[in-house]
């Protein structure tokens, strides 16, 4: 029986009990013996979670008995008496257990409210500059215009948070771009505005009660930042990036053109050095070996050029997407700036292919000259 099965079995037994409660980590209550209950008790006894001191397992079906079974209370699986009991255990105020059950629910919404509060805390922790505490207490520290401390403590689970507000702060904390510093400053300013005047112990509870106001402050701050975003500046940065890529591509093309000049030179050299002979000699063999070495070296150079082009192509796509991610409204303008670069790189791939074909022709031409007049 693993911990999950232990938890599920404990839950099933608690539902059969009259007035169940938790006493020192044990589920205690009265119930009527049945075949299913006896089977579950046997399984718990085998794992030492049920000590049959009252000889319950020897009783008959239909007999009313008082049971005391051990329930799981670990960081991964937890059986709690009340929500206060659960939140008082370990780090459950800011990190929920993998699986849990609360005997006295005190409201159907408490479970979802608890999970939503954990989501808020995780999002806020993303922007915290420091965290202090241990496995039983934790404090987030934000360093903005002034230091703000947020103790991770709350006791009221009746506050319902809107899913739309939760998605906003989670999206705010999940984005990875150059504006993270600005988003962090906005979060800290909004947080200070909402809870700085509250006492340290109740700040998180106060924040949860006016969470929609907090999110509204974040959206307003971000809207102000975006409104200061310069269209001309973004286009200018994109054009500067385009110019830099143009220079790098031109350098590769210049190197390729230098290599292209060696190909006709190789044909001329082969033709001028060739001496007709009906058999292989040192001269013809040297000519052939030289052509092969030329081909190998050219192939290495061409492969290096191809790798450079692919690397630049990847950088161009990344730079274009980065500019688009900053502001989707200028997507069309950014794409129009970078697409000519992509087209130029595609054309360059064709030129590289032609160089490879030309090198192969040089080697084939050398072999033709050497072997065409040999007598067999």
């Amino acid at each position: 029986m693993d911990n999950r099965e232990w938890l599920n079995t404990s839950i099933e037994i608690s539902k059969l009990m009259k007035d169940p409660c938790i006493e020192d980590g044990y589920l205690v209550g009265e119930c009527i013996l049945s075949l299913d209950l006896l089977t579950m008790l046997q399984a718990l006894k085998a794992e030492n979670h049920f000590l049959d001191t009252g000889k319950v397992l020897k009783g008959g079906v239909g007999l009313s008995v008082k049971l005391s079974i051990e329930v799981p209370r670990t960081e991964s699986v937890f059986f709690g008496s009340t929500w206060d009991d659960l939140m008082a255990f370990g780090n459950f105020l800011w990190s929920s257990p993998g699986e849990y059950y609360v005997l006295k629910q005190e409201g159907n919404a408490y479970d979802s409210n608890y999970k939503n509060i954990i989501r808020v805390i995780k999002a806020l922790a993303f922007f915290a500059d420091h965290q202090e505490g241990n496995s039983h207490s934790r404090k987030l520290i934000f360093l903005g215009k002034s230091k703000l401390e947020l103790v991770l403590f709350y006791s009221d689970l009746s506050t319902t948070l809107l899913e739309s507000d939760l998605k906003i702060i989670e999206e705010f904390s999940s984005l990875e771009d150059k504006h993270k510093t600005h988003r962090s400053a906005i979060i800290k300013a909004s947080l200070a505005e909402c809870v700085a005047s509250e006492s340290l112990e109740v700040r998180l509870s106060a924040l949860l009660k006016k969470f929609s106001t907090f999110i509204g402050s974040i959206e307003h701050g971000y809207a102000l930042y975006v409104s200061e975003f310069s269209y001309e500046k973004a286009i200018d940065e994109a054009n500067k990036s385009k110019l830099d890529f143009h220079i790098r591509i031109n350098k590769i093309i210049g190197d390729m053109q230098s290599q292209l000049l060696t190909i006709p030179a190789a044909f001329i050299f082969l033709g001028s050095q060739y001496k007709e002979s009906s058999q292989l000699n040192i001269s013809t063999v040297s000519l052939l070996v030289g052509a092969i070495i030329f081909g190998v070296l050219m192939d290495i150079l061409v492969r290096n050029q191809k790798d450079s082009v692919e690397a630049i192509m990847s950088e161009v796509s990344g730079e274009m997407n980065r500019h688009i991610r900053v502001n989707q409204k200028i997507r069309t303008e950014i794409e129009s700036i970078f697409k000519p670069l992509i087209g130029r790189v595609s054309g360059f791939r064709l030129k590289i292919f032609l160089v490879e074909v030309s090198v192969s022709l040089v080697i084939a031409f050398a072999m033709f000259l050497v072997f065409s007049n040999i007598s067999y």
Side-chain angles (χ1 to χ4, degrees), residues 291-330:
I292 293 174
I293 292 175
F294 168 78
V296 171
L297 292 177
M298 285 295 293
D299 182 67
I300 293 173
L301 291 173
V302 167
R303 288 179 183 274
N304 287 337
Q305 299 286 30
K306 287 174 69 175
D307 290 341
S308 298
V309 167
E310 293 302 327
I312 291 178
M313 185 67 173
S314 177
E315 289 184 40
V316 169
S317 297
E319 186 71 9
M320 180 175 69
N321 291 331
R322 184 182 70 82
H323 283 285
I324 291 172
R325 191 165 58 246
V326 170
N327 194 331
Q328 289 285 341
K329 294 180 180 179
I330 60 172

Side-chain angles (χ1 to χ4, degrees), residues 21-28 49 51 68-71 73:
C21 62
I22 299 293
E23 296 180 1
D24 297 325
Y26 282 79
L27 175 64
V28 178
H49 300 317
L51 301 179
S68 178
I69 64 171
E70 184 184 12
V71 291
R73 292 171 67 85

Side-chain angles (χ1 to χ4, degrees), residues 130-193:
H130 301 287
Q131 296 188 34
E132 292 182 357
N134 50 42
S135 60
H136 299 287
S137 64
R138 185 68 56 89
K139 178 170 60 178
L140 303 182
I141 300 175
F142 300 88
L143 302 177
K145 291 183 178 180
S146 60
K147 180 180 177 182
L148 178 71
E149 297 182 353
L150 187 69
V151 175
L152 301 183
F153 176 78
Y154 55 94
S155 57
D156 184 11
L157 292 178
S158 63
T159 303
T160 300
L161 305 178
L162 298 178
E163 182 65 24
S164 56
D165 289 341
L166 292 166
K167 286 183 178 179
I168 288 173
I169 194 170
E170 286 179 332
E171 182 179 355
F172 220 61
S173 63
S174 64
L175 294 173
E176 286 289 349
D177 55 41
K178 67 179 183 179
H179 297 294
K180 178 184 176 181
T181 302
H182 298 286
R183 294 199 312 276
S184 179
I186 292 168
I187 285 282
K188 293 172 183 177
S190 299
L191 197 58
E193 180 184 337

Side-chain angles (χ1 to χ4, degrees), residues 226-246:
V226 171
S227 67
E228 295 173 358
F229 173 79
S230 171
Y231 171 84
E232 292 77 11
K233 182 180 178 181
I235 297 300
D236 184 56
E237 288 181 358
N239 280 316
K240 286 181 180 178
S241 297
K242 175 185 177 182
L243 178 61
D244 178 60
F245 286 125
H246 261 306

Side-chain angles (χ1 to χ4, degrees), residues 80 192 212 345:
S212 289
V345 170

Side-chain angles (χ1 to χ4, degrees), residues 12 39 81 138 166 298 335 362:
E12 289 299 319
T39 301
S81 173
R138 185 68 56 89
L166 292 166
M298 285 295 293
E335 288 180 344
V362 170

Side-chain angles (χ1 to χ4, degrees), residues 49 65 72 82 127 191-192 253 320 355:
H49 300 317
V65 295
T82 63
F127 292 104
L191 197 58
I253 291 176
M320 180 175 69
V355 170

